[in-house]
């Protein structure tokens, strides 16, 4: 019997989830980054990339055989059916790889605390049981996230709203939360809340 803990960490775009993940890593958590895995599973030679090309054609590839992210993004962010289809291709592949990394972390240290940093936890829940030791949601108001996307990432208001609209709602994320970290204040406040969470988890 092992004591490895797997914590799911999620939050909408521009919620501050990356700050939380980085702080947990500083405390010694093993981070499994779903965004990084999502890039890995569409690398040349991967089955998911072949499925994308089969679905939407060679226009989804650049000349070097890598995925044409701008073309794919333009396709799915304006078409919910296409987005669902893409998620149906990539989410199972990401989850399969994540499970491998969970097992590797446990083999290396049975007492490890593993954080699955996953923006689309709710959206991908059909691909695996929604069972973790804890689900931590970083919650920030929609208006504040729109402001951050415009200010920090150079998006237009329409682009920011579209990106937020393509994700699960705040209510949907909060419905699966065991712990909610409010990020309506400063980064220092958020990091202090993470420190308190870590003391609870590691204790």
């Amino acid at each position: 019997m092992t004591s490895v803990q797997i914590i799911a960490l999620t939050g909408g775009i521009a919620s501050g989830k990356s700050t939380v993940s980085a702080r947990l890593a500083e405390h010694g958590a093993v981070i499994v980054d779903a965004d990084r895995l999502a890039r890995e599973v569409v690398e040349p030679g991967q089955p998911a990339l072949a499925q994308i090309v089969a679905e939407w054609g060679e226009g989804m590839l650049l000349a070097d055989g890598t995925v044409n992210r701008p073309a794919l993004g333009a396709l799915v962010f304006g078409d919910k059916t296409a987005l669902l289809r893409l998620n149906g291709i990539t989410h199972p592949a990401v989850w399969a790889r994540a499970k491998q990394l969970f097992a590797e972390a446990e083999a290396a240290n049975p007492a490890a605390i593993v954080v699955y940093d996953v923006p689309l936890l709710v959206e991908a829940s059909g691909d695996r049981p929604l069972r973790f030791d804890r689900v931590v949601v970083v919650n920030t108001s929609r208006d504040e996230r729109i402001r951050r996307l415009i200010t920090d990432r150079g998006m237009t208001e329409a682009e920011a709203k579209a990106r937020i609209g393509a994700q699960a709602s705040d209510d949907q994320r909060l419905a699966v939360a065991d712990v909610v970290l409010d990020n309506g204040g400063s980064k220092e406040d958020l990091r202090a809340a993470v420190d308190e969470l870590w003391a609870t988890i590691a204790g």
Side-chain angles (χ1 to χ4, degrees):
M1 187 79 176
T2 65
S3 56
V4 67
Q5 294 185 65
I6 301 178
I7 312 297
L9 171 64
T10 194
I13 187 171
S15 64
K17 182 178 58 59
S18 296
T19 298
V20 173
S21 181
R23 188 65 168 177
L24 289 169
E26 289 174 10
H27 281 295
V30 177
I31 307 297
V32 175
D33 184 342
D35 275 347
R36 182 175 63 80
L37 301 186
R39 292 189 292 272
E40 287 182 7
V41 301
V42 294
E43 288 177 352
Q46 294 297 316
L49 183 57
Q51 288 179 268
I52 289 168
V53 173
E55 182 75 19
W56 292 294
E58 297 289 333
M60 294 299 106
L61 294 177
L62 296 173
D64 63 358
T66 60
V67 66
N68 186 336
R69 294 186 184 279
L72 189 58
L75 174 73
V76 301
F77 283 117
D79 183 337
K80 287 195 172 182
T81 300
L83 180 59
L84 287 171
R85 177 62 188 135
L86 178 63
N87 288 345
I89 293 170
T90 58
H91 287 174
V94 168
W95 179 238
R97 179 63 178 139
K99 287 192 293 183
Q100 290 178 343
L101 294 175
F102 298 159
E104 289 174 12
E106 184 170 358
N109 177 12
I113 296 173
V114 179
V115 173
Y116 187 37
D117 182 341
V118 52
L120 303 181
L121 176 73
V122 174
E123 294 88 332
S125 62
D127 303 315
R128 40 93 182 116
L130 194 63
R131 293 175 189 157
F132 296 94
D133 292 285
R134 283 183 179 85
V135 175
V136 178
V137 173
V138 186
N139 191 50
T140 308
S141 73
R142 183 174 180 273
D143 287 347
E144 173 61 15
R145 289 189 285 131
I146 291 171
R147 186 196 67 76
R148 290 177 186 174
L149 290 172
I150 294 170
T151 303
D152 300 339
R153 305 196 195 183
M155 292 186 187
T156 66
E157 183 175 350
E159 289 170 337
K161 288 180 176 178
R163 292 296 296 271
I164 289 173
Q167 294 186 337
S169 69
D170 291 342
D171 287 345
Q172 287 173 314
R173 278 188 292 269
L174 292 172
V176 302
D178 297 306
V179 177
V180 178
L181 297 178
D182 179 76
N183 188 23
S186 68
K187 281 191 176 181
E188 289 71 24
D189 291 338
L190 181 60
R191 282 193 284 261
V194 176
D195 293 346
E196 291 180 14
L197 172 64
W198 181 261
T200 300
I201 296 170

